[in-house]
Coordinates of all heavy atoms in Angstrom, one line a residue:
I20 N 242.3 84.9 100.1 CA 243.4 85.2 99.3 C 243.5 84.1 97.9 O 243.4 84.5 96.9 CB 244.8 85.3 99.9 CG1 244.7 86.6 100.6 CG2 245.9 85.5 98.9 CD1 246.0 86.9 101.6
P21 N 243.5 82.8 98.3 CA 243.4 81.8 97.2 C 242.2 81.9 96.4 O 242.2 81.7 95.2 CB 243.5 80.5 97.9 CG 244.2 80.7 99.3 CD 243.7 82.0 99.7
A22 N 241.0 82.2 97.1 CA 239.7 82.3 96.3 C 239.7 83.5 95.4 O 239.3 83.4 94.3 CB 238.6 82.5 97.4
Y23 N 240.3 84.6 95.9 CA 240.3 85.8 94.9 C 241.3 85.6 93.8 O 241.0 85.9 92.7 CB 241.0 86.9 95.9 CG 241.4 88.2 95.2 CD1 240.3 88.9 94.5 CD2 242.6 88.8 95.3 CE1 240.7 90.2 93.9 CE2 242.9 89.9 94.7 CZ 241.9 90.6 93.9 OH 242.3 91.8 93.2
A24 N 242.5 84.8 94.1 CA 243.4 84.3 93.0 C 242.7 83.6 91.9 O 242.9 83.8 90.8 CB 244.6 83.7 93.5
K25 N 241.9 82.7 92.5 CA 241.2 81.8 91.6 C 240.1 82.6 90.7 O 240.0 82.2 89.5 CB 240.5 80.8 92.4 CG 239.8 79.5 91.6 CD 239.3 78.3 92.6 CE 238.6 77.4 91.7 NZ 237.7 76.6 92.6
D26 N 239.4 83.5 91.4 CA 238.4 84.2 90.6 C 239.1 85.0 89.5 O 238.5 85.3 88.4 CB 237.8 85.1 91.6 CG 236.6 84.5 92.3 OD1 236.1 83.6 91.9 OD2 236.2 85.0 93.4
K27 N 240.3 85.6 89.8 CA 241.0 86.6 88.9 C 241.4 85.7 87.7 O 241.5 86.1 86.6 CB 242.2 87.2 89.5 CG 241.9 88.2 90.4 CD 241.5 89.4 89.6 CE 241.6 90.7 90.3 NZ 241.2 91.9 89.5
V28 N 241.9 84.3 88.0 CA 242.2 83.5 86.8 C 240.9 83.2 86.0 O 241.1 83.2 84.8 CB 243.0 82.2 87.3 CG1 243.2 81.3 86.3 CG2 244.3 82.6 88.1
S29 N 239.9 82.8 86.7 CA 238.6 82.3 86.0 C 238.1 83.5 85.1 O 237.5 83.2 84.1 CB 237.6 81.9 87.0 OG 238.0 80.7 87.7
S30 N 238.3 84.7 85.6 CA 237.8 85.9 84.8 C 238.8 86.3 83.7 O 238.5 87.3 83.0 CB 237.4 87.0 85.8 OG 238.6 87.4 86.5
G31 N 239.9 85.6 83.7 CA 240.8 85.8 82.5 C 241.6 87.1 82.7 O 242.3 87.6 81.9
Q32 N 241.7 87.6 84.0 CA 242.5 88.9 84.4 C 244.0 88.6 84.7 O 244.8 89.4 84.5 CB 241.8 89.6 85.4 CG 240.4 90.3 85.1 CD 239.7 90.8 86.2 OE1 239.1 90.1 86.9 NE2 239.9 92.0 86.5
W33 N 244.2 87.4 85.3 CA 245.6 87.1 85.7 C 245.9 85.6 85.2 O 245.1 84.7 85.1 CB 245.6 87.0 87.2 CG 245.5 88.2 87.9 CD1 245.6 89.6 87.3 CD2 245.5 88.5 89.4 NE1 245.5 90.5 88.4 CE2 245.4 89.8 89.6 CE3 245.5 87.6 90.4 CZ2 245.4 90.5 90.8 CZ3 245.4 88.2 91.7 CH2 245.3 89.5 91.9
P34 N 247.3 85.4 84.8 CA 247.7 84.1 84.5 C 247.8 83.3 85.8 O 248.1 83.7 86.9 CB 249.2 84.4 83.9 CG 249.6 85.6 84.4 CD 248.3 86.5 84.9
K35 N 247.7 82.0 85.6 CA 247.4 81.1 86.7 C 248.7 81.0 87.7 O 248.7 81.0 88.8 CB 247.1 79.6 86.3 CG 246.6 78.7 87.4 CD 246.2 77.4 86.9 CE 245.8 76.4 87.9 NZ 245.5 75.2 87.4
D36 N 249.9 80.9 87.0 CA 251.2 80.8 87.6 C 251.5 81.8 88.6 O 252.1 81.5 89.7 CB 252.4 80.5 86.8 CG 252.5 81.5 85.6 OD1 251.7 82.6 85.7 OD2 253.4 81.5 84.8
S37 N 251.1 83.1 88.4 CA 251.5 84.1 89.4 C 250.4 84.7 90.2 O 250.4 85.6 90.9 CB 252.1 85.4 88.7 OG 251.3 85.7 87.6
A38 N 249.1 84.0 90.0 CA 248.0 84.6 90.6 C 248.0 84.7 92.2 O 247.5 85.7 92.7 CB 246.7 83.7 90.2
L39 N 248.5 83.6 92.7 CA 248.5 83.7 94.2 C 249.5 84.8 94.7 O 249.0 85.4 95.7 CB 249.0 82.2 94.8 CG 248.7 82.0 96.1 CD1 247.3 82.0 96.6 CD2 249.2 80.5 96.6
D40 N 250.5 85.0 94.1 CA 251.5 86.0 94.6 C 250.8 87.3 94.4 O 250.9 88.3 95.1 CB 252.8 85.9 93.7 CG 253.7 84.8 94.2 OD1 253.5 84.4 95.2 OD2 254.6 84.6 93.4
S41 N 250.2 87.6 93.1 CA 249.4 88.8 92.9 C 248.3 89.0 93.8 O 248.2 90.2 94.4 CB 248.8 88.8 91.5 OG 249.8 88.6 90.5
A42 N 247.6 88.0 94.3 CA 246.6 88.2 95.3 C 247.2 88.5 96.6 O 246.6 89.4 97.4 CB 245.8 86.8 95.4
R43 N 248.2 87.9 97.1 CA 248.8 88.3 98.3 C 249.4 89.7 98.4 O 249.1 90.4 99.4 CB 250.1 87.4 98.6 CG 249.7 86.0 98.9 CD 250.8 85.2 99.6 NE 250.4 83.7 99.7 CZ 249.6 83.2 100.5 NH1 248.9 83.9 101.4 NH2 249.3 81.8 100.4
K44 N 249.9 90.1 97.2 CA 250.2 91.5 97.1 C 249.1 92.5 97.2 O 249.2 93.4 97.9 CB 250.9 91.8 95.8 CG 251.7 92.9 95.5 CD 252.6 92.9 94.2 CE 253.1 94.2 93.8 NZ 252.1 94.9 93.1
D45 N 248.0 92.3 96.5 CA 246.8 93.0 96.6 C 246.4 93.2 98.1 O 246.1 94.3 98.5 CB 245.7 92.6 95.7 CG 245.8 93.0 94.4 OD1 246.9 93.6 93.8 OD2 244.8 92.6 93.5
Y46 N 246.2 92.1 98.7 CA 245.8 92.0 100.0 C 246.7 92.8 101.1 O 246.2 93.7 101.9 CB 245.4 90.7 100.5 CG 244.1 90.2 100.4 CD1 243.7 89.9 99.1 CD2 243.1 90.2 101.4 CE1 242.4 89.5 98.8 CE2 241.8 89.7 101.1 CZ 241.4 89.5 99.9 OH 240.1 89.1 99.7
A47 N 247.9 92.7 100.8 CA 249.0 93.3 101.6 C 248.8 94.9 101.3 O 249.0 95.7 102.3 CB 250.3 92.9 101.3
E48 N 248.5 95.3 100.1 CA 248.4 96.7 99.8 C 247.0 97.4 100.4 O 247.0 98.4 100.9 CB 248.5 97.0 98.3 CG 249.9 96.9 97.8 CD 250.1 96.9 96.2 OE1 248.9 97.2 95.7 OE2 251.2 96.7 95.9
L49 N 246.0 96.5 100.3 CA 244.7 97.0 100.7 C 244.6 97.0 102.2 O 243.9 97.8 102.8 CB 243.6 96.1 100.2 CG 243.3 96.1 98.7 CD1 242.4 95.1 98.2 CD2 242.6 97.5 98.4
L50 N 245.4 96.0 102.9 CA 245.3 96.0 104.5 C 246.7 96.1 105.0 O 247.1 95.1 105.6 CB 244.6 94.7 104.8 CG 243.2 94.4 104.3 CD1 242.7 93.1 104.5 CD2 242.2 95.4 105.1
P51 N 247.3 97.3 104.8 CA 248.8 97.4 105.3 C 248.8 97.2 106.9 O 249.9 96.8 107.3 CB 249.2 98.8 104.9 CG 247.9 99.5 104.7 CD 246.8 98.4 104.2
N52 N 247.8 97.5 107.6 CA 247.8 97.3 109.2 C 246.8 96.2 109.5 O 246.2 96.3 110.6 CB 247.4 98.6 109.7 CG 248.5 99.7 109.6 OD1 249.7 99.3 109.6 ND2 248.1 101.0 109.3
G53 N 246.8 95.3 108.6 CA 245.9 94.1 108.9 C 244.5 94.5 109.1 O 243.9 95.4 108.5
K54 N 243.8 93.9 110.1 CA 242.3 94.1 110.4 C 242.2 95.4 111.0 O 241.0 95.9 111.0 CB 241.9 92.9 111.3 CG 242.4 93.1 112.7 CD 241.9 92.0 113.6 CE 242.4 92.1 115.1 NZ 242.1 93.4 115.7
D55 N 243.1 96.1 111.4 CA 243.0 97.4 112.0 C 243.4 98.6 111.0 O 243.4 99.8 111.5 CB 243.9 97.7 113.3 CG 243.6 96.6 114.3 OD1 242.3 96.3 114.5 OD2 244.5 95.9 114.9
T56 N 243.4 98.2 109.7 CA 243.7 99.3 108.7 C 242.6 100.3 108.7 O 241.5 100.0 108.6 CB 243.9 98.6 107.2 OG1 245.0 97.6 107.4 CG2 244.1 99.6 106.2
D57 N 242.9 101.6 108.7 CA 242.1 102.8 108.7 C 241.1 102.5 107.5 O 241.4 102.2 106.5 CB 242.9 104.0 108.4 CG 242.1 105.2 108.8 OD1 241.2 105.2 109.7 OD2 242.2 106.2 108.1
K58 N 239.8 103.0 108.0 CA 238.6 102.9 107.0 C 238.1 101.5 106.6 O 237.2 101.5 105.9 CB 239.0 103.7 105.8 CG 239.4 105.1 105.8 CD 238.3 106.0 106.2 CE 238.7 107.4 106.3 NZ 237.7 108.4 107.1
N59 N 238.8 100.6 107.1 CA 238.3 99.3 106.8 C 237.7 98.6 108.0 O 238.1 98.8 109.1 CB 239.6 98.3 106.4 CG 240.1 98.5 105.1 OD1 239.8 97.9 104.1 ND2 241.0 99.6 105.0
H60 N 236.6 97.7 107.7 CA 235.8 97.1 108.8 C 235.7 95.8 108.4 O 235.0 95.4 107.4 CB 234.4 97.9 108.8 CG 234.5 99.4 109.1 ND1 234.2 100.0 110.3 CD2 234.7 100.3 108.1 CE1 234.4 101.3 110.1 NE2 234.5 101.5 108.8
I61 N 236.2 94.9 109.3 CA 236.1 93.4 109.0 C 235.4 92.9 110.1 O 235.9 92.9 111.2 CB 237.6 92.8 108.8 CG1 238.3 93.7 107.7 CG2 237.4 91.4 108.2 CD1 239.8 93.1 107.4
F62 N 234.3 92.1 109.8 CA 233.5 91.5 110.8 C 233.4 90.0 110.6 O 233.3 89.4 109.6 CB 232.0 92.0 110.7 CG 231.9 93.5 110.9 CD1 231.8 94.4 109.8 CD2 231.9 94.1 112.2 CE1 231.7 95.7 110.0 CE2 231.7 95.4 112.4 CZ 231.6 96.3 111.4
T63 N 233.2 89.5 111.7 CA 232.8 88.0 111.7 C 231.3 88.0 111.7 O 230.6 88.7 112.5 CB 233.4 87.3 113.0 OG1 234.7 87.1 112.8 CG2 232.7 85.9 113.2
V64 N 230.7 87.2 110.8 CA 229.3 87.0 110.7 C 228.8 86.0 111.8 O 229.3 84.8 111.7 CB 228.8 86.6 109.4 CG1 227.3 86.5 109.3 CG2 229.2 87.8 108.4
L65 N 227.9 86.3 112.6 CA 227.4 85.4 113.7 C 226.0 84.9 113.3 O 225.1 85.6 112.8 CB 227.3 86.1 115.0 CG 228.7 86.6 115.6 CD1 228.5 87.3 116.9 CD2 229.7 85.4 115.8
S66 N 225.8 83.6 113.6 CA 224.4 82.9 113.4 C 223.6 83.5 114.5 O 224.0 84.1 115.5 CB 224.6 81.5 113.5 OG 224.8 81.1 114.9
P67 N 222.2 83.3 114.3 CA 221.3 83.7 115.4 C 221.6 83.0 116.7 O 221.3 83.5 117.8 CB 219.8 83.2 114.9 CG 220.0 83.2 113.4 CD 221.4 82.8 113.1
E68 N 222.3 82.0 116.7 CA 222.7 81.2 118.0 C 224.1 81.8 118.5 O 224.5 81.3 119.6 CB 222.8 79.7 117.7 CG 221.6 79.0 117.3 CD 221.2 79.3 115.9 OE1 222.2 79.5 115.1 OE2 220.0 79.1 115.6
G69 N 224.7 82.6 117.7 CA 225.9 83.3 118.2 C 227.2 82.7 117.8 O 228.3 83.0 118.3
F70 N 227.2 81.7 116.8 CA 228.5 81.1 116.5 C 228.9 81.8 115.0 O 228.1 82.0 114.2 CB 228.5 79.5 116.5 CG 227.4 78.9 115.6 CD1 227.7 78.7 114.4 CD2 226.2 78.5 116.2 CE1 226.7 78.0 113.5 CE2 225.2 77.9 115.3 CZ 225.5 77.7 114.1
P71 N 230.2 81.7 114.9 CA 230.8 82.2 113.6 C 230.4 81.5 112.4 O 230.6 80.2 112.4 CB 232.3 82.2 113.9 CG 232.6 82.1 115.3 CD 231.3 81.2 115.7
V72 N 229.9 82.2 111.3 CA 229.7 81.4 110.1 C 230.1 82.1 108.9 O 230.0 81.5 107.8 CB 228.0 81.3 109.9 CG1 227.3 80.5 111.0 CG2 227.4 82.8 109.9
G73 N 230.8 83.2 109.1 CA 231.4 83.8 107.8 C 232.1 85.1 108.3 O 232.3 85.5 109.4
T74 N 232.4 86.0 107.2 CA 233.1 87.2 107.3 C 232.5 88.2 106.3 O 232.2 87.8 105.3 CB 234.6 87.0 107.0 OG1 235.0 85.7 107.6 CG2 235.4 88.2 107.5
L75 N 232.5 89.4 106.8 CA 232.1 90.6 106.0 C 233.2 91.7 106.0 O 233.5 92.2 107.1 CB 230.8 91.1 106.3 CG 230.2 92.3 105.5 CD1 229.9 92.0 104.1 CD2 229.1 93.0 106.1
W76 N 233.7 92.1 104.9 CA 234.7 93.2 104.9 C 234.2 94.3 104.0 O 233.8 94.2 102.8 CB 236.0 92.6 104.3 CG 237.1 93.6 104.0 CD1 237.3 94.8 104.6 CD2 238.2 93.3 103.0 NE1 238.5 95.4 104.1 CE2 239.0 94.5 103.1 CE3 238.4 92.4 102.2 CZ2 240.0 94.7 102.3 CZ3 239.5 92.5 101.3 CH2 240.4 93.6 101.4
F77 N 234.2 95.4 104.6 CA 233.9 96.7 103.8 C 235.0 97.8 104.1 O 235.6 97.9 105.2 CB 232.4 97.2 103.9 CG 232.1 98.0 105.0 CD1 232.3 99.4 105.2 CD2 231.5 97.3 106.1 CE1 231.9 100.1 106.3 CE2 231.2 97.9 107.4 CZ 231.4 99.2 107.3
V78 N 235.1 98.8 103.1 CA 236.0 99.9 103.3 C 235.0 101.3 103.1 O 234.3 101.3 102.1 CB 237.3 99.8 102.5 CG1 236.8 99.8 101.0 CG2 238.2 100.9 102.8
E79 N 235.4 102.3 103.9 CA 234.7 103.5 103.5 C 235.4 104.1 102.4 O 236.8 104.3 102.4 CB 234.8 104.5 104.8 CG 234.1 103.9 106.0 CD 234.4 104.8 107.2 OE1 234.1 106.1 107.3 OE2 234.5 104.1 108.4
Q80 N 234.7 104.6 101.5 CA 235.2 105.2 100.2 C 234.4 106.4 99.9 O 233.3 106.5 100.2 CB 235.2 104.2 98.9 CG 236.3 103.3 99.0 CD 236.2 102.4 97.7 OE1 235.3 102.6 96.9 NE2 237.1 101.4 97.6
E81 N 235.1 107.2 99.0 CA 234.3 108.5 98.3 C 233.8 108.1 97.0 O 234.6 107.4 96.3 CB 235.3 109.7 98.4 CG 234.4 110.9 98.4 CD 235.4 112.2 98.6 OE1 236.2 112.1 99.5 OE2 235.3 113.0 97.6
R82 N 232.6 108.3 96.7 CA 232.1 108.1 95.4 C 231.2 109.2 95.0 O 230.2 109.4 95.6 CB 231.3 106.7 95.5 CG 230.7 106.3 94.1 CD 230.0 104.9 94.4 NE 229.5 104.2 93.4 CZ 228.3 104.2 92.9 NH1 227.3 105.0 93.5 NH2 227.9 103.5 91.8
A83 N 231.4 109.9 93.9 CA 230.7 110.9 93.4 C 230.3 111.9 94.5 O 229.2 112.3 94.7 CB 229.5 110.4 92.7
N84 N 231.4 112.4 95.3 CA 231.3 113.4 96.3 C 230.4 112.9 97.6 O 229.9 113.7 98.3 CB 230.6 114.7 95.8 CG 231.6 115.4 95.0 OD1 233.0 115.3 95.1 ND2 231.2 116.3 94.1
S85 N 230.2 111.5 97.5 CA 229.5 111.0 98.8 C 230.3 109.9 99.5 O 231.1 109.4 98.6 CB 228.2 110.7 98.5 OG 228.0 109.6 97.7
H86 N 230.1 109.6 100.6 CA 230.8 108.5 101.3 C 230.1 107.4 101.4 O 228.9 107.4 101.7 CB 231.3 109.1 102.7 CG 232.2 110.2 102.8 ND1 233.5 109.9 102.6 CD2 232.1 111.4 102.9 CE1 234.3 111.2 102.6 NE2 233.3 112.2 102.7
I87 N 230.6 106.3 100.8 CA 229.9 105.0 100.9 C 230.7 103.9 101.4 O 231.9 104.1 101.7 CB 229.6 104.6 99.3 CG1 230.9 104.5 98.6 CG2 228.7 105.8 98.7 CD1 230.9 103.3 97.6
A88 N 230.0 102.7 101.7 CA 230.7 101.4 102.0 C 231.0 100.8 100.7 O 229.9 100.5 99.9 CB 229.9 100.8 102.9
Y89 N 232.2 100.2 100.6 CA 232.6 99.4 99.4 C 232.7 98.0 100.0 O 233.8 97.8 100.7 CB 233.7 99.8 98.6 CG 233.8 99.2 97.3 CD1 233.4 99.8 96.2 CD2 234.4 97.9 97.2 CE1 233.4 99.0 94.9 CE2 234.5 97.3 96.0 CZ 234.0 97.9 94.9 OH 234.2 97.2 93.7
V90 N 231.9 97.1 99.6 CA 232.1 95.6 100.2 C 233.1 95.0 99.5 O 233.0 94.8 98.2 CB 230.7 94.9 100.2 CG1 231.1 93.4 100.6 CG2 229.8 95.6 101.2
Y91 N 234.2 94.6 99.9 CA 235.3 93.8 99.2 C 235.0 92.3 99.4 O 235.6 91.5 98.5 CB 236.7 94.3 100.1 CG 237.3 95.3 99.3 CD1 237.9 96.4 100.2 CD2 237.6 95.3 97.9 CE1 238.5 97.4 99.5 CE2 238.3 96.5 97.3 CZ 238.8 97.5 98.2 OH 239.5 98.6 97.6
D92 N 234.3 92.0 100.4 CA 234.2 90.6 100.6 C 233.0 90.1 101.5 O 232.9 90.7 102.5 CB 235.4 89.8 101.1 CG 235.5 88.3 100.9 OD1 235.3 87.8 99.8 OD2 235.6 87.6 102.0
I93 N 232.4 89.2 101.0 CA 231.4 88.5 102.0 C 231.6 86.9 101.7 O 231.8 86.5 100.7 CB 229.9 88.8 101.7 CG1 228.9 87.8 102.5 CG2 229.6 88.6 100.2 CD1 228.8 88.2 103.8
Y94 N 231.8 86.3 102.8 CA 232.3 84.9 102.8 C 231.3 84.1 103.9 O 231.4 84.5 105.1 CB 233.7 84.7 103.1 CG 234.1 83.3 103.2 CD1 234.2 82.5 102.0 CD2 234.2 82.6 104.5 CE1 234.4 81.1 102.3 CE2 234.5 81.3 104.6 CZ 234.7 80.5 103.5 OH 235.0 79.2 103.6
V95 N 230.6 83.1 103.5 CA 229.9 82.2 104.3 C 230.5 80.9 104.2 O 230.6 80.3 103.1 CB 228.4 82.2 104.1 CG1 227.6 81.2 105.0 CG2 227.7 83.6 104.3
K96 N 230.9 80.3 105.3 CA 231.4 78.9 105.2 C 230.4 77.9 104.5 O 229.2 78.0 104.7 CB 231.6 78.4 106.8 CG 232.7 79.1 107.5 CD 232.9 78.5 108.9 CE 233.5 79.5 109.8 NZ 233.6 79.0 111.1
P97 N 231.0 77.0 103.7 CA 230.3 76.2 102.8 C 229.1 75.5 103.6 O 228.0 75.4 103.1 CB 231.2 75.2 102.1 CG 232.5 76.0 102.2 CD 232.5 76.9 103.3
E98 N 229.3 74.9 104.8 CA 228.4 74.2 105.5 C 227.2 75.1 106.0 O 226.3 74.4 106.4 CB 229.1 73.4 106.6 CG 229.6 74.2 107.8 CD 231.1 74.6 107.4 OE1 231.4 74.7 106.2 OE2 231.9 74.8 108.5
H99 N 227.4 76.4 106.0 CA 226.3 77.2 106.4 C 225.5 78.0 105.3 O 224.9 78.9 105.7 CB 226.9 78.1 107.6 CG 227.5 77.4 108.7 ND1 226.7 76.7 109.6 CD2 228.8 77.4 109.1 CE1 227.6 76.4 110.6 NE2 228.8 76.7 110.4
R100 N 225.9 77.7 104.1 CA 225.2 78.5 103.1 C 223.8 78.2 102.9 O 223.2 77.2 103.3 CB 226.0 78.3 101.8 CG 227.3 78.9 101.8 CD 228.2 78.8 100.5 NE 229.6 79.4 100.9 CZ 230.7 79.1 100.1 NH1 230.6 78.3 99.1 NH2 231.9 79.5 100.6

Side-chain angles (χ1 to χ4, degrees):
I20 290 177
Y23 174 60
K25 194 173 166 202
D26 279 337
K27 284 289 202 179
V28 173
S29 299
S30 61
Q32 290 169 276
W33 288 354
K35 194 175 178 182
D36 53 359
S37 56
L39 196 53
D40 284 345
S41 300
R43 289 197 193 288
K44 187 166 167 281
D45 274 10
Y46 269 71
E48 283 173 8
L49 288 167
L50 295 166
N52 291 321
K54 69 181 183 59
D55 300 319
T56 302
D57 192 34
K58 303 284 184 198
N59 285 264
H60 305 261
I61 310 178
F62 297 99
T63 291
V64 179
L65 299 176
S66 73
E68 298 76 28
F70 59 85
V72 291
T74 314
L75 175 73
W76 170 27
F77 77 88
V78 61
E79 294 175 49
Q80 278 188 357
E81 208 174 307
R82 181 180 191 260
N84 286 336
S85 63
H86 294 281
I87 60 140
Y89 193 98
V90 173
Y91 269 128
D92 191 61
I93 172 75
Y94 172 79
V95 173
K96 295 178 192 172
E98 65 271 28
H99 296 297
R100 288 179 190 167

